[in-house]
């Protein structure tokens, strides 16, 4: 059964013949087309990079401290009071 392309956008790459051969060889080992192989590997790497930049991992101790600070925040210190006053001054018409 022929595959129907679901992709509409295009990305063009320039690489050395040696790099292309290596990618083709790796794709062949996985019985994938070069396009499918490159897309799969790129999306795996993208997922890792996005996760590293958008997720925060806390230890059990850090999580407990975070929860405690949310439930019982400390009183505002002088620096925070000044910042809030400055914020209010800037935003007042």
């Amino acid at each position: 059964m022929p595959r129907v392309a679901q992709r509409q956008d295009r990305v063009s790459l320039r690489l050395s013949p040696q790099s292309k051969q290596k990618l083709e060889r790796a794709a062949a080992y996985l019985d994938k087309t070069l396009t499918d192989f490159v897309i799969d590997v790129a999306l795996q790497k993208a997922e890792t990079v996005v996760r590293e930049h958008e997720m925060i991992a806390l230890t059990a101790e850090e999580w407990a401290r975070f929860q405690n600070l949310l439930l019982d925040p400390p009183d505002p210190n002088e620096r925070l009071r000044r910042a809030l006053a400055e914020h209010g001054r800037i935003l007042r018409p």
Side-chain angles (χ1 to χ4, degrees):
M1 178 173 172
R3 293 172 46 171
V4 178
Q6 299 289 323
R7 304 176 191 115
Q8 296 177 9
D9 289 342
R10 184 184 261 328
V11 173
S12 180
L13 301 172
R14 293 191 187 275
L15 58 154
S16 69
Q18 296 84 6
S19 294
K20 184 177 180 191
Q21 288 172 353
K22 186 179 285 189
L23 290 172
E24 288 172 332
R25 194 168 75 232
Y29 282 128
L30 298 178
D31 195 29
K32 293 186 176 193
T33 65
L34 177 58
T35 297
D36 287 343
F37 177 78
V38 170
I39 289 171
D40 288 349
V41 171
L43 287 174
Q44 288 172 13
K45 183 64 174 182
E47 181 65 33
T48 300
V49 170
V50 168
R51 191 179 316 112
E52 288 173 356
H53 286 82
E54 294 182 359
M55 288 185 68
I56 299 172
L58 302 175
T59 65
E61 181 181 313
E62 292 167 333
W63 177 246
R65 184 168 191 274
F66 176 74
Q67 286 181 310
N68 288 336
L69 287 169
L70 284 177
L71 296 173
D72 186 22
D75 293 331
N77 60 21
E78 184 55 35
R79 187 174 175 188
L80 178 58
R81 283 193 285 275
R82 284 194 316 263
L84 288 171
E86 179 67 9
H87 176 75
R89 185 188 67 73
I90 292 171
L91 293 183
R92 275 194 208 114

